[in-house]
Amino acid sequence: MAFEEYQPLLRQARWILRQHADVMLKADRGFANHALMNWLLWSNWHYCLRLPCDVNLLRSASLSD
């Protein structure tokens, strides 16, 4: 499923949960994509994504300490 297909649901969830500062999204392998991760960072949500073992994660320079 493409991010564009479930993004409206995420927006609705963000609006419903807007008064909760600590939200975590848990997702399976099919949801691992850059658009979702960018959206989660922008939304200030925590996330736990189940990824295949061969996925390389790189931290963006804009997010570094």
Side-chain angles (χ1 to χ4, degrees):
M1 178 182 297
F3 175 72
E4 292 76 24
E5 292 181 41
Y6 58 84
Q7 185 178 14
L9 180 62
L10 288 172
R11 286 183 185 152
Q12 184 178 20
R14 186 179 61 213
W15 187 83
I16 292 169
L17 299 169
R18 68 189 180 281
Q19 295 179 354
H20 299 277
D22 220 10
V23 177
M24 176 177 276
L25 176 86
K26 294 183 179 182
D28 207 353
R29 298 169 194 216
F31 292 90
N33 64 60
H34 291 107
L36 173 60
M37 294 182 79
N38 287 333
W39 189 92
L40 291 167
L41 291 170
W42 180 82
S43 297
N44 291 317
W45 281 13
H46 302 283
Y47 55 92
C48 178
L49 302 177
R50 182 177 169 207
L51 303 174
C53 63
D54 62 346
V55 171
N56 291 320
L57 299 176
L58 300 175
R59 188 172 184 169
S60 171
S62 64
L63 298 176
S64 61
D65 300 315

